[in-house]
Amino acid sequence: MVRDIRKPPAPLLGRWRIVGMSGWDRDAIDLVEPGFIEFARDGTGRLGFIAVTGWLDCRAIERDGLPGVEFSWEGVDEGDQVSGRGWAVLADDDTIKGQLYFHLGDESSFRAKRFTAADDLDEP
């Protein structure tokens, strides 16, 4: 049986609210909308924070014994094309942690919690 490496582990599926990043504070993260990262069953995903929006191409991994994904991403930052890579693992039932890299640019660790209806109401 061949394992589909594009499918993120089931516990990571869905939308996660970015609650902290080493490179930016919460006000910056939520500048345009509540910061998020999202993993879909088909191995794609999305992210958004500050003025960055991006689309993910994910591969399932295990990192330090934790289920997770590695991904490449491309998107826009204030109208400029940007791209990069990153990873995320399930830290516990309600939290993921990971690292985001901009191609030839910044990098930041991040932590995220499951998105709730209340997060949609957060004002930047």
Side-chain angles (χ1 to χ4, degrees), residues 7-42:
K7 284 187 172 181
L12 269 75
L13 294 175
R15 191 173 178 101
W16 297 82
R17 172 81 158 90
I18 297 174
V19 295
M21 299 182 85
S22 61
W24 300 278
D25 65 23
R26 184 72 180 260
D27 288 340
I29 295 167
D30 296 341
L31 182 65
V32 174
E33 64 180 316
F36 73 94
I37 189 164
E38 184 176 82
F39 304 105
R41 190 171 310 279
D42 66 359

PDB file of all heavy atoms in Angstrom, residues 7-42:
ATOM      1  N   LYS A   7      -1.147  14.136   1.765  1.00  0.00           N
ATOM      2  CA  LYS A   7      -2.222  14.305   2.746  1.00  0.00           C
ATOM      3  C   LYS A   7      -1.636  14.665   4.110  1.00  0.00           C
ATOM      4  O   LYS A   7      -0.912  13.870   4.694  1.00  0.00           O
ATOM      5  CB  LYS A   7      -3.028  13.026   2.899  1.00  0.00           C
ATOM      6  CG  LYS A   7      -3.975  12.765   1.789  1.00  0.00           C
ATOM      7  CD  LYS A   7      -4.828  11.575   2.139  1.00  0.00           C
ATOM      8  CE  LYS A   7      -5.927  11.402   1.113  1.00  0.00           C
ATOM      9  NZ  LYS A   7      -6.779  10.261   1.445  1.00  0.00           N
ATOM     10  N   PRO A   8      -1.973  15.847   4.617  1.00  0.00           N
ATOM     11  CA  PRO A   8      -1.533  16.169   5.980  1.00  0.00           C
ATOM     12  C   PRO A   8      -2.157  15.199   6.976  1.00  0.00           C
ATOM     13  O   PRO A   8      -3.257  14.692   6.748  1.00  0.00           O
ATOM     14  CB  PRO A   8      -2.084  17.580   6.203  1.00  0.00           C
ATOM     15  CG  PRO A   8      -2.318  18.129   4.843  1.00  0.00           C
ATOM     16  CD  PRO A   8      -2.679  16.956   3.980  1.00  0.00           C
ATOM     17  N   PRO A   9      -1.467  14.913   8.082  1.00  0.00           N
ATOM     18  CA  PRO A   9      -2.077  14.064   9.102  1.00  0.00           C
ATOM     19  C   PRO A   9      -3.417  14.650   9.545  1.00  0.00           C
ATOM     20  O   PRO A   9      -3.562  15.871   9.686  1.00  0.00           O
ATOM     21  CB  PRO A   9      -1.051  14.101  10.238  1.00  0.00           C
ATOM     22  CG  PRO A   9       0.234  14.503   9.592  1.00  0.00           C
ATOM     23  CD  PRO A   9      -0.144  15.381   8.432  1.00  0.00           C
ATOM     24  N   ALA A  10      -4.397  13.793   9.759  1.00  0.00           N
ATOM     25  CA  ALA A  10      -5.759  14.233  10.082  1.00  0.00           C
ATOM     26  C   ALA A  10      -5.810  15.259  11.221  1.00  0.00           C
ATOM     27  O   ALA A  10      -6.574  16.226  11.124  1.00  0.00           O
ATOM     28  CB  ALA A  10      -6.633  13.031  10.386  1.00  0.00           C
ATOM     29  N   PRO A  11      -5.015  15.102  12.294  1.00  0.00           N
ATOM     30  CA  PRO A  11      -5.129  16.096  13.376  1.00  0.00           C
ATOM     31  C   PRO A  11      -4.731  17.515  12.963  1.00  0.00           C
ATOM     32  O   PRO A  11      -5.086  18.470  13.638  1.00  0.00           O
ATOM     33  CB  PRO A  11      -4.171  15.567  14.449  1.00  0.00           C
ATOM     34  CG  PRO A  11      -4.027  14.119  14.163  1.00  0.00           C
ATOM     35  CD  PRO A  11      -4.143  13.995  12.665  1.00  0.00           C
ATOM     36  N   LEU A  12      -4.002  17.674  11.862  1.00  0.00           N
ATOM     37  CA  LEU A  12      -3.599  19.014  11.426  1.00  0.00           C
ATOM     38  C   LEU A  12      -4.603  19.660  10.476  1.00  0.00           C
ATOM     39  O   LEU A  12      -4.517  20.867  10.210  1.00  0.00           O
ATOM     40  CB  LEU A  12      -2.234  18.977  10.733  1.00  0.00           C
ATOM     41  CG  LEU A  12      -1.027  19.198  11.627  1.00  0.00           C
ATOM     42  CD1 LEU A  12      -0.741  17.990  12.464  1.00  0.00           C
ATOM     43  CD2 LEU A  12       0.154  19.627  10.831  1.00  0.00           C
ATOM     44  N   LEU A  13      -5.540  18.896   9.956  1.00  0.00           N
ATOM     45  CA  LEU A  13      -6.476  19.445   8.979  1.00  0.00           C
ATOM     46  C   LEU A  13      -7.293  20.577   9.589  1.00  0.00           C
ATOM     47  O   LEU A  13      -7.640  20.548  10.760  1.00  0.00           O
ATOM     48  CB  LEU A  13      -7.417  18.351   8.472  1.00  0.00           C
ATOM     49  CG  LEU A  13      -6.766  17.238   7.665  1.00  0.00           C
ATOM     50  CD1 LEU A  13      -7.795  16.164   7.335  1.00  0.00           C
ATOM     51  CD2 LEU A  13      -6.125  17.786   6.406  1.00  0.00           C
ATOM     52  N   GLY A  14      -7.580  21.567   8.767  1.00  0.00           N
ATOM     53  CA  GLY A  14      -8.427  22.668   9.210  1.00  0.00           C
ATOM     54  C   GLY A  14      -7.662  23.966   9.351  1.00  0.00           C
ATOM     55  O   GLY A  14      -6.509  24.089   8.948  1.00  0.00           O
ATOM     56  N   ARG A  15      -8.369  24.943   9.911  1.00  0.00           N
ATOM     57  CA  ARG A  15      -7.850  26.300  10.017  1.00  0.00           C
ATOM     58  C   ARG A  15      -7.312  26.533  11.430  1.00  0.00           C
ATOM     59  O   ARG A  15      -7.973  26.214  12.413  1.00  0.00           O
ATOM     60  CB  ARG A  15      -8.975  27.279   9.716  1.00  0.00           C
ATOM     61  CG  ARG A  15      -8.568  28.707   9.524  1.00  0.00           C
ATOM     62  CD  ARG A  15      -9.807  29.497   9.062  1.00  0.00           C
ATOM     63  NE  ARG A  15      -9.556  30.889   8.896  1.00  0.00           N
ATOM     64  CZ  ARG A  15      -9.344  31.484   7.720  1.00  0.00           C
ATOM     65  NH1 ARG A  15      -9.386  30.779   6.615  1.00  0.00           N
ATOM     66  NH2 ARG A  15      -9.130  32.769   7.649  1.00  0.00           N
ATOM     67  N   TRP A  16      -6.117  27.111  11.519  1.00  0.00           N
ATOM     68  CA  TRP A  16      -5.446  27.377  12.785  1.00  0.00           C
ATOM     69  C   TRP A  16      -5.203  28.873  12.907  1.00  0.00           C
ATOM     70  O   TRP A  16      -4.760  29.517  11.954  1.00  0.00           O
ATOM     71  CB  TRP A  16      -4.121  26.632  12.841  1.00  0.00           C
ATOM     72  CG  TRP A  16      -4.265  25.151  12.794  1.00  0.00           C
ATOM     73  CD1 TRP A  16      -4.432  24.373  11.679  1.00  0.00           C
ATOM     74  CD2 TRP A  16      -4.297  24.260  13.901  1.00  0.00           C
ATOM     75  NE1 TRP A  16      -4.559  23.062  12.037  1.00  0.00           N
ATOM     76  CE2 TRP A  16      -4.473  22.948  13.394  1.00  0.00           C
ATOM     77  CE3 TRP A  16      -4.179  24.431  15.275  1.00  0.00           C
ATOM     78  CZ2 TRP A  16      -4.536  21.837  14.222  1.00  0.00           C
ATOM     79  CZ3 TRP A  16      -4.235  23.309  16.094  1.00  0.00           C
ATOM     80  CH2 TRP A  16      -4.410  22.044  15.561  1.00  0.00           C
ATOM     81  N   ARG A  17      -5.441  29.411  14.088  1.00  0.00           N
ATOM     82  CA  ARG A  17      -5.259  30.838  14.377  1.00  0.00           C
ATOM     83  C   ARG A  17      -3.833  31.055  14.857  1.00  0.00           C
ATOM     84  O   ARG A  17      -3.419  30.479  15.864  1.00  0.00           O
ATOM     85  CB  ARG A  17      -6.250  31.239  15.477  1.00  0.00           C
ATOM     86  CG  ARG A  17      -6.078  32.619  16.017  1.00  0.00           C
ATOM     87  CD  ARG A  17      -6.754  33.584  15.062  1.00  0.00           C
ATOM     88  NE  ARG A  17      -7.079  34.814  15.725  1.00  0.00           N
ATOM     89  CZ  ARG A  17      -6.265  35.862  15.777  1.00  0.00           C
ATOM     90  NH1 ARG A  17      -5.086  35.815  15.202  1.00  0.00           N
ATOM     91  NH2 ARG A  17      -6.655  36.950  16.390  1.00  0.00           N
ATOM     92  N   ILE A  18      -3.056  31.851  14.133  1.00  0.00           N
ATOM     93  CA  ILE A  18      -1.686  32.146  14.553  1.00  0.00           C
ATOM     94  C   ILE A  18      -1.754  33.049  15.786  1.00  0.00           C
ATOM     95  O   ILE A  18      -2.290  34.158  15.720  1.00  0.00           O
ATOM     96  CB  ILE A  18      -0.877  32.806  13.422  1.00  0.00           C
ATOM     97  CG1 ILE A  18      -0.740  31.843  12.234  1.00  0.00           C
ATOM     98  CG2 ILE A  18       0.504  33.216  13.940  1.00  0.00           C
ATOM     99  CD1 ILE A  18      -0.088  32.445  11.001  1.00  0.00           C
ATOM    100  N   VAL A  19      -1.224  32.564  16.908  1.00  0.00           N
ATOM    101  CA  VAL A  19      -1.295  33.312  18.164  1.00  0.00           C
ATOM    102  C   VAL A  19       0.054  33.908  18.567  1.00  0.00           C
ATOM    103  O   VAL A  19       0.117  34.725  19.482  1.00  0.00           O
ATOM    104  CB  VAL A  19      -1.857  32.445  19.314  1.00  0.00           C
ATOM    105  CG1 VAL A  19      -3.297  32.060  19.025  1.00  0.00           C
ATOM    106  CG2 VAL A  19      -1.002  31.208  19.545  1.00  0.00           C
ATOM    107  N   GLY A  20       1.110  33.506  17.885  1.00  0.00           N
ATOM    108  CA  GLY A  20       2.405  34.078  18.197  1.00  0.00           C
ATOM    109  C   GLY A  20       3.411  33.779  17.102  1.00  0.00           C
ATOM    110  O   GLY A  20       3.350  32.720  16.472  1.00  0.00           O
ATOM    111  N   MET A  21       4.289  34.748  16.848  1.00  0.00           N
ATOM    112  CA  MET A  21       5.372  34.575  15.885  1.00  0.00           C
ATOM    113  C   MET A  21       6.611  35.233  16.467  1.00  0.00           C
ATOM    114  O   MET A  21       6.514  36.276  17.129  1.00  0.00           O
ATOM    115  CB  MET A  21       5.029  35.206  14.529  1.00  0.00           C
ATOM    116  CG  MET A  21       3.807  34.598  13.855  1.00  0.00           C
ATOM    117  SD  MET A  21       3.449  35.317  12.228  1.00  0.00           S
ATOM    118  CE  MET A  21       4.535  34.320  11.202  1.00  0.00           C
ATOM    119  N   SER A  22       7.771  34.640  16.232  1.00  0.00           N
ATOM    120  CA  SER A  22       9.000  35.227  16.760  1.00  0.00           C
ATOM    121  C   SER A  22       9.385  36.502  16.019  1.00  0.00           C
ATOM    122  O   SER A  22      10.067  37.358  16.575  1.00  0.00           O
ATOM    123  CB  SER A  22      10.150  34.215  16.691  1.00  0.00           C
ATOM    124  OG  SER A  22      10.395  33.838  15.334  1.00  0.00           O
ATOM    125  N   GLY A  23       8.919  36.648  14.777  1.00  0.00           N
ATOM    126  CA  GLY A  23       9.322  37.786  13.966  1.00  0.00           C
ATOM    127  C   GLY A  23       8.424  39.004  14.060  1.00  0.00           C
ATOM    128  O   GLY A  23       8.839  40.113  13.693  1.00  0.00           O
ATOM    129  N   TRP A  24       7.192  38.839  14.542  1.00  0.00           N
ATOM    130  CA  TRP A  24       6.242  39.942  14.581  1.00  0.00           C
ATOM    131  C   TRP A  24       5.341  39.819  15.791  1.00  0.00           C
ATOM    132  O   TRP A  24       5.040  38.713  16.240  1.00  0.00           O
ATOM    133  CB  TRP A  24       5.385  39.942  13.308  1.00  0.00           C
ATOM    134  CG  TRP A  24       6.215  40.093  12.079  1.00  0.00           C
ATOM    135  CD1 TRP A  24       6.695  41.261  11.564  1.00  0.00           C
ATOM    136  CD2 TRP A  24       6.683  39.047  11.224  1.00  0.00           C
ATOM    137  NE1 TRP A  24       7.445  40.990  10.429  1.00  0.00           N
ATOM    138  CE2 TRP A  24       7.455  39.649  10.207  1.00  0.00           C
ATOM    139  CE3 TRP A  24       6.551  37.665  11.223  1.00  0.00           C
ATOM    140  CZ2 TRP A  24       8.068  38.916   9.202  1.00  0.00           C
ATOM    141  CZ3 TRP A  24       7.155  36.924  10.228  1.00  0.00           C
ATOM    142  CH2 TRP A  24       7.901  37.551   9.231  1.00  0.00           C
ATOM    143  N   ASP A  25       4.852  40.961  16.304  1.00  0.00           N
ATOM    144  CA  ASP A  25       3.938  40.905  17.444  1.00  0.00           C
ATOM    145  C   ASP A  25       2.494  40.693  16.966  1.00  0.00           C
ATOM    146  O   ASP A  25       2.211  40.734  15.771  1.00  0.00           O
ATOM    147  CB  ASP A  25       4.075  42.156  18.322  1.00  0.00           C
ATOM    148  CG  ASP A  25       3.641  43.435  17.619  1.00  0.00           C
ATOM    149  OD1 ASP A  25       2.847  43.371  16.653  1.00  0.00           O
ATOM    150  OD2 ASP A  25       4.098  44.505  18.044  1.00  0.00           O
ATOM    151  N   ARG A  26       1.608  40.463  17.913  1.00  0.00           N
ATOM    152  CA  ARG A  26       0.225  40.106  17.596  1.00  0.00           C
ATOM    153  C   ARG A  26      -0.474  41.189  16.770  1.00  0.00           C
ATOM    154  O   ARG A  26      -1.232  40.877  15.855  1.00  0.00           O
ATOM    155  CB  ARG A  26      -0.535  39.844  18.898  1.00  0.00           C
ATOM    156  CG  ARG A  26      -1.957  39.368  18.746  1.00  0.00           C
ATOM    157  CD  ARG A  26      -1.991  37.921  18.253  1.00  0.00           C
ATOM    158  NE  ARG A  26      -3.334  37.441  18.096  1.00  0.00           N
ATOM    159  CZ  ARG A  26      -3.980  36.680  18.956  1.00  0.00           C
ATOM    160  NH1 ARG A  26      -3.396  36.312  20.068  1.00  0.00           N
ATOM    161  NH2 ARG A  26      -5.192  36.286  18.721  1.00  0.00           N
ATOM    162  N   ASP A  27      -0.241  42.465  17.074  1.00  0.00           N
ATOM    163  CA  ASP A  27      -0.874  43.538  16.300  1.00  0.00           C
ATOM    164  C   ASP A  27      -0.462  43.469  14.839  1.00  0.00           C
ATOM    165  O   ASP A  27      -1.278  43.668  13.942  1.00  0.00           O
ATOM    166  CB  ASP A  27      -0.525  44.910  16.873  1.00  0.00           C
ATOM    167  CG  ASP A  27      -1.222  45.180  18.201  1.00  0.00           C
ATOM    168  OD1 ASP A  27      -2.232  44.509  18.493  1.00  0.00           O
ATOM    169  OD2 ASP A  27      -0.746  46.053  18.940  1.00  0.00           O
ATOM    170  N   ALA A  28       0.813  43.175  14.598  1.00  0.00           N
ATOM    171  CA  ALA A  28       1.283  43.057  13.215  1.00  0.00           C
ATOM    172  C   ALA A  28       0.692  41.814  12.553  1.00  0.00           C
ATOM    173  O   ALA A  28       0.215  41.876  11.414  1.00  0.00           O
ATOM    174  CB  ALA A  28       2.809  43.007  13.172  1.00  0.00           C
ATOM    175  N   ILE A  29       0.691  40.688  13.271  1.00  0.00           N
ATOM    176  CA  ILE A  29       0.165  39.436  12.712  1.00  0.00           C
ATOM    177  C   ILE A  29      -1.262  39.633  12.210  1.00  0.00           C
ATOM    178  O   ILE A  29      -1.637  39.160  11.146  1.00  0.00           O
ATOM    179  CB  ILE A  29       0.208  38.307  13.774  1.00  0.00           C
ATOM    180  CG1 ILE A  29       1.652  37.967  14.141  1.00  0.00           C
ATOM    181  CG2 ILE A  29      -0.542  37.067  13.280  1.00  0.00           C
ATOM    182  CD1 ILE A  29       1.775  37.101  15.389  1.00  0.00           C
ATOM    183  N   ASP A  30      -2.070  40.359  12.991  1.00  0.00           N
ATOM    184  CA  ASP A  30      -3.499  40.536  12.677  1.00  0.00           C
ATOM    185  C   ASP A  30      -3.775  41.831  11.927  1.00  0.00           C
ATOM    186  O   ASP A  30      -4.909  42.319  11.937  1.00  0.00           O
ATOM    187  CB  ASP A  30      -4.304  40.522  13.981  1.00  0.00           C
ATOM    188  CG  ASP A  30      -4.222  39.198  14.703  1.00  0.00           C
ATOM    189  OD1 ASP A  30      -3.865  38.182  14.073  1.00  0.00           O
ATOM    190  OD2 ASP A  30      -4.534  39.182  15.912  1.00  0.00           O
ATOM    191  N   LEU A  31      -2.803  42.395  11.261  1.00  0.00           N
ATOM    192  CA  LEU A  31      -2.954  43.701  10.615  1.00  0.00           C
ATOM    193  C   LEU A  31      -4.146  43.764   9.670  1.00  0.00           C
ATOM    194  O   LEU A  31      -4.946  44.703   9.721  1.00  0.00           O
ATOM    195  CB  LEU A  31      -1.673  44.053   9.851  1.00  0.00           C
ATOM    196  CG  LEU A  31      -1.657  45.411   9.161  1.00  0.00           C
ATOM    197  CD1 LEU A  31      -1.709  46.533  10.198  1.00  0.00           C
ATOM    198  CD2 LEU A  31      -0.406  45.545   8.297  1.00  0.00           C
ATOM    199  N   VAL A  32      -4.299  42.791   8.786  1.00  0.00           N
ATOM    200  CA  VAL A  32      -5.381  42.815   7.788  1.00  0.00           C
ATOM    201  C   VAL A  32      -6.555  41.949   8.224  1.00  0.00           C
ATOM    202  O   VAL A  32      -7.706  42.312   8.020  1.00  0.00           O
ATOM    203  CB  VAL A  32      -4.850  42.349   6.414  1.00  0.00           C
ATOM    204  CG1 VAL A  32      -5.972  42.223   5.399  1.00  0.00           C
ATOM    205  CG2 VAL A  32      -3.779  43.312   5.907  1.00  0.00           C
ATOM    206  N   GLU A  33      -6.265  40.799   8.812  1.00  0.00           N
ATOM    207  CA  GLU A  33      -7.272  39.869   9.316  1.00  0.00           C
ATOM    208  C   GLU A  33      -6.593  39.006  10.378  1.00  0.00           C
ATOM    209  O   GLU A  33      -5.361  39.001  10.470  1.00  0.00           O
ATOM    210  CB  GLU A  33      -7.828  38.993   8.193  1.00  0.00           C
ATOM    211  CG  GLU A  33      -6.777  38.086   7.564  1.00  0.00           C
ATOM    212  CD  GLU A  33      -7.331  37.211   6.449  1.00  0.00           C
ATOM    213  OE1 GLU A  33      -8.425  36.637   6.620  1.00  0.00           O
ATOM    214  OE2 GLU A  33      -6.656  37.111   5.423  1.00  0.00           O
ATOM    215  N   PRO A  34      -7.366  38.276  11.181  1.00  0.00           N
ATOM    216  CA  PRO A  34      -6.714  37.392  12.150  1.00  0.00           C
ATOM    217  C   PRO A  34      -5.759  36.434  11.436  1.00  0.00           C
ATOM    218  O   PRO A  34      -6.145  35.771  10.461  1.00  0.00           O
ATOM    219  CB  PRO A  34      -7.890  36.642  12.786  1.00  0.00           C
ATOM    220  CG  PRO A  34      -9.050  37.573  12.634  1.00  0.00           C
ATOM    221  CD  PRO A  34      -8.830  38.256  11.304  1.00  0.00           C
ATOM    222  N   GLY A  35      -4.497  36.384  11.883  1.00  0.00           N
ATOM    223  CA  GLY A  35      -3.500  35.523  11.246  1.00  0.00           C
ATOM    224  C   GLY A  35      -3.914  34.062  11.299  1.00  0.00           C
ATOM    225  O   GLY A  35      -4.462  33.603  12.300  1.00  0.00           O
ATOM    226  N   PHE A  36      -3.650  33.341  10.218  1.00  0.00           N
ATOM    227  CA  PHE A  36      -4.065  31.936  10.171  1.00  0.00           C
ATOM    228  C   PHE A  36      -3.154  31.126   9.268  1.00  0.00           C
ATOM    229  O   PHE A  36      -2.428  31.665   8.437  1.00  0.00           O
ATOM    230  CB  PHE A  36      -5.516  31.806   9.662  1.00  0.00           C
ATOM    231  CG  PHE A  36      -5.655  32.075   8.194  1.00  0.00           C
ATOM    232  CD1 PHE A  36      -5.614  31.035   7.276  1.00  0.00           C
ATOM    233  CD2 PHE A  36      -5.783  33.361   7.722  1.00  0.00           C
ATOM    234  CE1 PHE A  36      -5.725  31.268   5.920  1.00  0.00           C
ATOM    235  CE2 PHE A  36      -5.892  33.617   6.362  1.00  0.00           C
ATOM    236  CZ  PHE A  36      -5.864  32.571   5.451  1.00  0.00           C
ATOM    237  N   ILE A  37      -3.217  29.810   9.451  1.00  0.00           N
ATOM    238  CA  ILE A  37      -2.656  28.840   8.528  1.00  0.00           C
ATOM    239  C   ILE A  37      -3.664  27.706   8.453  1.00  0.00           C
ATOM    240  O   ILE A  37      -4.301  27.368   9.455  1.00  0.00           O
ATOM    241  CB  ILE A  37      -1.241  28.376   8.953  1.00  0.00           C
ATOM    242  CG1 ILE A  37      -0.590  27.541   7.851  1.00  0.00           C
ATOM    243  CG2 ILE A  37      -1.269  27.661  10.281  1.00  0.00           C
ATOM    244  CD1 ILE A  37       0.921  27.386   8.016  1.00  0.00           C
ATOM    245  N   GLU A  38      -3.826  27.156   7.261  1.00  0.00           N
ATOM    246  CA  GLU A  38      -4.901  26.183   7.035  1.00  0.00           C
ATOM    247  C   GLU A  38      -4.370  25.033   6.195  1.00  0.00           C
ATOM    248  O   GLU A  38      -3.657  25.259   5.214  1.00  0.00           O
ATOM    249  CB  GLU A  38      -6.018  26.912   6.291  1.00  0.00           C
ATOM    250  CG  GLU A  38      -7.252  26.147   6.032  1.00  0.00           C
ATOM    251  CD  GLU A  38      -8.288  27.059   5.380  1.00  0.00           C
ATOM    252  OE1 GLU A  38      -8.226  27.258   4.156  1.00  0.00           O
ATOM    253  OE2 GLU A  38      -9.130  27.598   6.119  1.00  0.00           O
ATOM    254  N   PHE A  39      -4.736  23.807   6.587  1.00  0.00           N
ATOM    255  CA  PHE A  39      -4.294  22.616   5.862  1.00  0.00           C
ATOM    256  C   PHE A  39      -5.512  21.859   5.360  1.00  0.00           C
ATOM    257  O   PHE A  39      -6.410  21.542   6.143  1.00  0.00           O
ATOM    258  CB  PHE A  39      -3.448  21.716   6.765  1.00  0.00           C
ATOM    259  CG  PHE A  39      -2.265  22.419   7.347  1.00  0.00           C
ATOM    260  CD1 PHE A  39      -2.268  22.812   8.674  1.00  0.00           C
ATOM    261  CD2 PHE A  39      -1.169  22.720   6.564  1.00  0.00           C
ATOM    262  CE1 PHE A  39      -1.185  23.480   9.215  1.00  0.00           C
ATOM    263  CE2 PHE A  39      -0.082  23.387   7.093  1.00  0.00           C
ATOM    264  CZ  PHE A  39      -0.084  23.773   8.424  1.00  0.00           C
ATOM    265  N   ALA A  40      -5.530  21.565   4.056  1.00  0.00           N
ATOM    266  CA  ALA A  40      -6.667  20.864   3.440  1.00  0.00           C
ATOM    267  C   ALA A  40      -6.320  19.401   3.204  1.00  0.00           C
ATOM    268  O   ALA A  40      -5.150  19.017   3.094  1.00  0.00           O
ATOM    269  CB  ALA A  40      -7.030  21.532   2.118  1.00  0.00           C
ATOM    270  N   ARG A  41      -7.347  18.598   3.106  1.00  0.00           N
ATOM    271  CA  ARG A  41      -7.204  17.155   2.920  1.00  0.00           C
ATOM    272  C   ARG A  41      -6.434  16.809   1.643  1.00  0.00           C
ATOM    273  O   ARG A  41      -5.743  15.801   1.575  1.00  0.00           O
ATOM    274  CB  ARG A  41      -8.604  16.537   2.878  1.00  0.00           C
ATOM    275  CG  ARG A  41      -8.630  15.037   2.917  1.00  0.00           C
ATOM    276  CD  ARG A  41     -10.042  14.503   3.102  1.00  0.00           C
ATOM    277  NE  ARG A  41     -10.774  15.100   4.195  1.00  0.00           N
ATOM    278  CZ  ARG A  41     -10.649  14.760   5.479  1.00  0.00           C
ATOM    279  NH1 ARG A  41      -9.816  13.832   5.811  1.00  0.00           N
ATOM    280  NH2 ARG A  41     -11.367  15.362   6.403  1.00  0.00           N
ATOM    281  N   ASP A  42      -6.512  17.649   0.610  1.00  0.00           N
ATOM    282  CA  ASP A  42      -5.855  17.351  -0.666  1.00  0.00           C
ATOM    283  C   ASP A  42      -4.377  17.761  -0.714  1.00  0.00           C
ATOM    284  O   ASP A  42      -3.750  17.711  -1.769  1.00  0.00           O
ATOM    285  CB  ASP A  42      -6.614  17.996  -1.822  1.00  0.00           C
ATOM    286  CG  ASP A  42      -6.578  19.517  -1.779  1.00  0.00           C
ATOM    287  OD1 ASP A  42      -5.985  20.104  -0.837  1.00  0.00           O
ATOM    288  OD2 ASP A  42      -7.166  20.140  -2.680  1.00  0.00           O
TER     289      ASP A  42
END
